[in-house]
Amino acid sequence: MLKLWTSIIICSLAGNMYAQLDISKLSASGFENIIFAEEEDTIRIFFEHREFRNPGHSIQYAELLMTDRTRDKNFLWIPLLHNVPIYVYDTQNLKSRLLSFAEKEFFQKNNKPFRNYRFNFRLHPQFSARFGYFTDPFETKLNFILGARIYLARGLSMQSGITIPVHNNLDNHGKKLRAAPTMLHYFAQPWNSHFVSLSAGTFYNDRYGLDLEYRFAQLDSNWSFGLAGGLTGYYRLYGLEYYSESMDDIYAIADVEWRTGIENTTLKLSAGQFLYMDRGARIDLIKQYPAAELGLFASHTDIGNTVGFQFAFSLWPGKILRNDKFELRTSESFRWAYSYNGFDPVAKQVRRGTPRLANVLRNYNEKWVKAVLTR
């Protein structure tokens, strides 16, 4: 612990040209909130890179950039998620572990969100489709959302943007420019392996209100457990015209997820009261690929039954424009799902514009990160 606190002084010295050089190189390539903690034989690097879904890819990219790194030192990589350190990955020894108390204290002291993050704008498509209706067999809606997330404090951010309608013969939302879902979002790991997410504001699927998630996820385990709940109401925004109804839709869902160990597949079972007072259960089979995720699902609830598929991946080309203070990029996680029963809202959850904890933390599992790093 004494060594780590000594590193605070080392990293703050203007004469530490090695750290300055690598921070500059990493920052120019999209890395943010880069903090070095250097000891005699170890260098810890805290960082965040918002273009990658998988922290293994961001670590690989960083190591490729740091070709002049000191060979006699071991690098420990500590990726951040929403300005919160998640786990420690040792790429030299292919090991990983929880953060120590001293590492958490060091990050807390050196973390400066307003100085260490860019104004980051994301171009994100919103696509919905329904096939097979007799009078209009291909009903689709496509919007582009130009959104931004600003970090206000550790784990606390504001997300907003503009919705740009492109095509719609699916519903009556029309083609006026309007505000994208806007919310305050708080993410934390108050204790090791315990994660919390709280969102308040307007969401997708015409809902507004509060959404709370808790997840117990030991990143060296094949099992994780989650709870999600919230209170929402209906709202409609058409241009500058706003209409809303009272928040009276309560939902509460529990889930368990098991990493099977077979071909990077995961089984997830969710049950409880979904949106629209819909009670029932859903099962997902998810296959992870280094750059994407593909899943099949089936649901049985009071409203009805359905099966379908979903996928998620980062959109090309990633960076569009970038300098020291500003970045425009495509979405790091475009997720789309298709349900056979497209007319009934079976087993629906609120879509917040921020991925669910299970979908995010699945990528931080040490077995998966190791698999990505060794490919």
Side-chain angles (χ1 to χ4, degrees), residues 8 12 32-35 80 83 106-118 151-154 325:
I8 297 174
S12 65
E32 300 175 285
N33 209 1
I34 307 160
I35 304 171
L80 311 175
N83 195 27
F106 174 76
F107 176 77
Q108 182 68 23
K109 183 175 180 65
N110 289 271
N111 179 38
K112 297 178 176 62
F114 282 108
R115 190 182 73 182
N116 294 342
Y117 281 97
R118 295 178 177 86
Y151 288 103
L152 306 174
R154 181 178 178 180
K325 301 297 182 182

Short mmCIF file of all heavy atoms in Angstrom, two decimals, residues 8 12 32-35 80 83 106-118 151-154 325:
data_model
loop_
_atom_site.label_atom_id
_atom_site.label_comp_id
_atom_site.label_asym_id
_atom_site.label_seq_id
_atom_site.Cartn_x
_atom_site.Cartn_y
_atom_site.Cartn_z
N ILE A 8 1.48 7.99 -6.33
CA ILE A 8 0.71 9.21 -6.56
C ILE A 8 1.67 10.38 -6.77
O ILE A 8 1.48 11.21 -7.67
CB ILE A 8 -0.22 9.50 -5.36
CG1 ILE A 8 -1.24 8.38 -5.21
CG2 ILE A 8 -0.90 10.85 -5.51
CD1 ILE A 8 -2.10 8.52 -3.99
N SER A 12 2.50 12.48 -10.44
CA SER A 12 2.19 13.90 -10.50
C SER A 12 3.40 14.74 -10.87
O SER A 12 3.27 15.94 -11.10
CB SER A 12 1.65 14.36 -9.14
OG SER A 12 2.65 14.25 -8.15
N GLU A 32 -9.64 7.69 -22.62
CA GLU A 32 -10.00 8.81 -21.76
C GLU A 32 -9.74 8.45 -20.30
O GLU A 32 -9.65 7.28 -19.94
CB GLU A 32 -11.49 9.17 -21.94
CG GLU A 32 -11.85 9.58 -23.35
CD GLU A 32 -13.35 9.79 -23.51
OE1 GLU A 32 -14.09 8.79 -23.56
OE2 GLU A 32 -13.77 10.95 -23.57
N ASN A 33 -9.66 9.50 -19.48
CA ASN A 33 -9.45 9.33 -18.04
C ASN A 33 -8.29 8.37 -17.75
O ASN A 33 -8.41 7.45 -16.94
CB ASN A 33 -10.73 8.85 -17.36
CG ASN A 33 -10.82 9.32 -15.92
OD1 ASN A 33 -9.94 10.02 -15.42
ND2 ASN A 33 -11.88 8.92 -15.23
N ILE A 34 -7.17 8.61 -18.41
CA ILE A 34 -6.00 7.75 -18.28
C ILE A 34 -5.22 8.18 -17.04
O ILE A 34 -4.80 9.33 -16.93
CB ILE A 34 -5.10 7.87 -19.53
CG1 ILE A 34 -5.92 7.63 -20.80
CG2 ILE A 34 -3.95 6.88 -19.45
CD1 ILE A 34 -5.27 8.18 -22.05
N ILE A 35 -5.02 7.25 -16.14
CA ILE A 35 -4.29 7.53 -14.91
C ILE A 35 -3.23 6.46 -14.72
O ILE A 35 -3.55 5.26 -14.68
CB ILE A 35 -5.24 7.57 -13.69
CG1 ILE A 35 -6.35 8.60 -13.90
CG2 ILE A 35 -4.46 7.89 -12.42
CD1 ILE A 35 -7.44 8.55 -12.84
N LEU A 80 -12.36 1.28 -17.01
CA LEU A 80 -13.44 1.99 -16.33
C LEU A 80 -14.73 1.82 -17.13
O LEU A 80 -14.71 1.72 -18.35
CB LEU A 80 -13.12 3.48 -16.22
CG LEU A 80 -11.75 3.87 -15.67
CD1 LEU A 80 -11.58 5.38 -15.74
CD2 LEU A 80 -11.56 3.38 -14.25
N ASN A 83 -16.93 5.80 -15.72
CA ASN A 83 -16.05 6.47 -14.75
C ASN A 83 -15.92 5.70 -13.43
O ASN A 83 -15.65 6.29 -12.39
CB ASN A 83 -16.54 7.90 -14.50
CG ASN A 83 -15.51 8.77 -13.82
OD1 ASN A 83 -14.31 8.55 -13.95
ND2 ASN A 83 -15.97 9.76 -13.08
N PHE A 106 -6.55 5.42 -4.64
CA PHE A 106 -5.71 6.14 -5.60
C PHE A 106 -6.54 6.70 -6.75
O PHE A 106 -6.38 7.86 -7.15
CB PHE A 106 -4.63 5.19 -6.15
CG PHE A 106 -3.80 5.79 -7.24
CD1 PHE A 106 -2.82 6.72 -6.97
CD2 PHE A 106 -4.02 5.43 -8.56
CE1 PHE A 106 -2.05 7.28 -7.97
CE2 PHE A 106 -3.28 5.98 -9.58
CZ PHE A 106 -2.28 6.91 -9.29
N PHE A 107 -7.46 5.90 -7.27
CA PHE A 107 -8.30 6.38 -8.36
C PHE A 107 -9.20 7.52 -7.89
O PHE A 107 -9.37 8.51 -8.59
CB PHE A 107 -9.16 5.23 -8.91
CG PHE A 107 -10.14 5.68 -9.97
CD1 PHE A 107 -9.71 5.94 -11.25
CD2 PHE A 107 -11.48 5.85 -9.66
CE1 PHE A 107 -10.59 6.37 -12.23
CE2 PHE A 107 -12.37 6.28 -10.62
CZ PHE A 107 -11.92 6.54 -11.92
N GLN A 108 -9.78 7.39 -6.72
CA GLN A 108 -10.66 8.42 -6.20
C GLN A 108 -9.93 9.76 -6.09
O GLN A 108 -10.50 10.82 -6.41
CB GLN A 108 -11.20 8.00 -4.82
CG GLN A 108 -12.17 8.98 -4.19
CD GLN A 108 -13.49 9.06 -4.93
OE1 GLN A 108 -13.87 8.13 -5.64
NE2 GLN A 108 -14.19 10.17 -4.79
N LYS A 109 -8.68 9.72 -5.69
CA LYS A 109 -7.91 10.95 -5.51
C LYS A 109 -7.54 11.60 -6.83
O LYS A 109 -7.49 12.82 -6.95
CB LYS A 109 -6.63 10.65 -4.70
CG LYS A 109 -5.80 11.87 -4.39
CD LYS A 109 -4.63 11.53 -3.51
CE LYS A 109 -3.78 12.76 -3.19
NZ LYS A 109 -4.53 13.74 -2.39
N ASN A 110 -7.31 10.78 -7.87
CA ASN A 110 -6.80 11.29 -9.14
C ASN A 110 -7.87 11.43 -10.22
O ASN A 110 -7.58 11.95 -11.31
CB ASN A 110 -5.68 10.39 -9.65
CG ASN A 110 -4.42 10.52 -8.82
OD1 ASN A 110 -3.57 11.35 -9.09
ND2 ASN A 110 -4.31 9.70 -7.78
N ASN A 111 -9.07 10.97 -9.96
CA ASN A 111 -10.13 11.01 -10.96
C ASN A 111 -10.69 12.43 -11.09
O ASN A 111 -11.13 13.02 -10.11
CB ASN A 111 -11.26 10.05 -10.55
CG ASN A 111 -12.40 10.05 -11.53
OD1 ASN A 111 -12.20 10.15 -12.74
ND2 ASN A 111 -13.61 9.95 -11.02
N LYS A 112 -10.67 12.97 -12.32
CA LYS A 112 -11.17 14.32 -12.58
C LYS A 112 -12.02 14.27 -13.85
O LYS A 112 -11.53 14.51 -14.96
CB LYS A 112 -10.01 15.30 -12.73
CG LYS A 112 -9.17 15.44 -11.47
CD LYS A 112 -8.00 16.38 -11.69
CE LYS A 112 -7.22 16.59 -10.39
NZ LYS A 112 -6.65 15.37 -9.87
N PRO A 113 -13.31 13.95 -13.72
CA PRO A 113 -14.17 13.73 -14.90
C PRO A 113 -14.20 14.89 -15.89
O PRO A 113 -14.11 14.70 -17.09
CB PRO A 113 -15.54 13.48 -14.29
CG PRO A 113 -15.28 13.01 -12.90
CD PRO A 113 -14.04 13.72 -12.47
N PHE A 114 -14.32 16.14 -15.38
CA PHE A 114 -14.45 17.27 -16.29
C PHE A 114 -13.18 17.50 -17.10
O PHE A 114 -13.23 17.95 -18.24
CB PHE A 114 -14.81 18.54 -15.51
CG PHE A 114 -16.25 18.60 -15.10
CD1 PHE A 114 -16.62 18.42 -13.79
CD2 PHE A 114 -17.23 18.81 -16.05
CE1 PHE A 114 -17.95 18.47 -13.41
CE2 PHE A 114 -18.58 18.87 -15.69
CZ PHE A 114 -18.93 18.69 -14.36
N ARG A 115 -12.05 17.17 -16.53
CA ARG A 115 -10.78 17.40 -17.23
C ARG A 115 -10.38 16.21 -18.09
O ARG A 115 -9.75 16.37 -19.14
CB ARG A 115 -9.67 17.68 -16.21
CG ARG A 115 -8.38 18.17 -16.84
CD ARG A 115 -7.30 18.38 -15.80
NE ARG A 115 -6.78 17.11 -15.31
CZ ARG A 115 -5.86 16.99 -14.37
NH1 ARG A 115 -5.39 18.08 -13.76
NH2 ARG A 115 -5.42 15.81 -13.97
N ASN A 116 -10.75 15.00 -17.67
CA ASN A 116 -10.21 13.79 -18.30
C ASN A 116 -11.13 13.15 -19.33
O ASN A 116 -10.79 12.12 -19.89
CB ASN A 116 -9.85 12.76 -17.23
CG ASN A 116 -8.71 13.23 -16.34
OD1 ASN A 116 -7.97 14.14 -16.69
ND2 ASN A 116 -8.58 12.61 -15.18
N TYR A 117 -12.32 13.74 -19.57
CA TYR A 117 -13.22 13.20 -20.58
C TYR A 117 -13.45 14.23 -21.68
O TYR A 117 -13.49 15.43 -21.43
CB TYR A 117 -14.57 12.81 -19.97
CG TYR A 117 -14.56 11.49 -19.25
CD1 TYR A 117 -14.40 11.44 -17.87
CD2 TYR A 117 -14.69 10.29 -19.93
CE1 TYR A 117 -14.39 10.22 -17.19
CE2 TYR A 117 -14.69 9.08 -19.27
CZ TYR A 117 -14.53 9.05 -17.90
OH TYR A 117 -14.52 7.85 -17.24
N ARG A 118 -13.62 13.74 -22.91
CA ARG A 118 -13.99 14.61 -24.03
C ARG A 118 -15.50 14.87 -24.02
O ARG A 118 -16.26 14.15 -23.37
CB ARG A 118 -13.64 13.94 -25.36
CG ARG A 118 -12.18 13.72 -25.62
CD ARG A 118 -12.00 13.02 -26.95
NE ARG A 118 -10.60 12.85 -27.28
CZ ARG A 118 -9.86 11.83 -26.89
NH1 ARG A 118 -10.40 10.87 -26.16
NH2 ARG A 118 -8.59 11.75 -27.22
N TYR A 151 -20.11 13.40 -18.12
CA TYR A 151 -19.85 12.89 -16.77
C TYR A 151 -19.77 14.05 -15.79
O TYR A 151 -18.99 14.99 -15.97
CB TYR A 151 -18.57 12.06 -16.76
CG TYR A 151 -18.76 10.73 -17.46
CD1 TYR A 151 -18.27 10.52 -18.75
CD2 TYR A 151 -19.46 9.71 -16.84
CE1 TYR A 151 -18.48 9.32 -19.39
CE2 TYR A 151 -19.67 8.49 -17.48
CZ TYR A 151 -19.17 8.30 -18.75
OH TYR A 151 -19.39 7.12 -19.40
N LEU A 152 -20.59 13.97 -14.76
CA LEU A 152 -20.69 15.02 -13.77
C LEU A 152 -19.87 14.70 -12.51
O LEU A 152 -19.39 15.61 -11.84
CB LEU A 152 -22.16 15.23 -13.37
CG LEU A 152 -23.12 15.49 -14.55
CD1 LEU A 152 -24.56 15.53 -14.04
CD2 LEU A 152 -22.75 16.77 -15.28
N ALA A 153 -19.77 13.44 -12.18
CA ALA A 153 -19.02 12.99 -11.02
C ALA A 153 -18.74 11.50 -11.23
O ALA A 153 -19.13 10.92 -12.24
CB ALA A 153 -19.80 13.22 -9.72
N ARG A 154 -18.08 10.89 -10.27
CA ARG A 154 -17.77 9.47 -10.41
C ARG A 154 -19.06 8.66 -10.53
O ARG A 154 -19.88 8.61 -9.62
CB ARG A 154 -16.96 8.98 -9.21
CG ARG A 154 -16.58 7.52 -9.30
CD ARG A 154 -15.74 7.09 -8.12
NE ARG A 154 -15.41 5.67 -8.19
CZ ARG A 154 -14.68 5.02 -7.29
NH1 ARG A 154 -14.18 5.68 -6.25
NH2 ARG A 154 -14.44 3.75 -7.41
N LYS A 325 -10.57 17.61 -27.14
CA LYS A 325 -11.75 17.96 -26.35
C LYS A 325 -13.05 17.43 -26.90
O LYS A 325 -14.08 17.49 -26.22
CB LYS A 325 -11.84 19.49 -26.22
CG LYS A 325 -10.65 20.14 -25.55
CD LYS A 325 -10.49 19.67 -24.11
CE LYS A 325 -9.31 20.37 -23.42
NZ LYS A 325 -9.13 19.87 -22.03
#
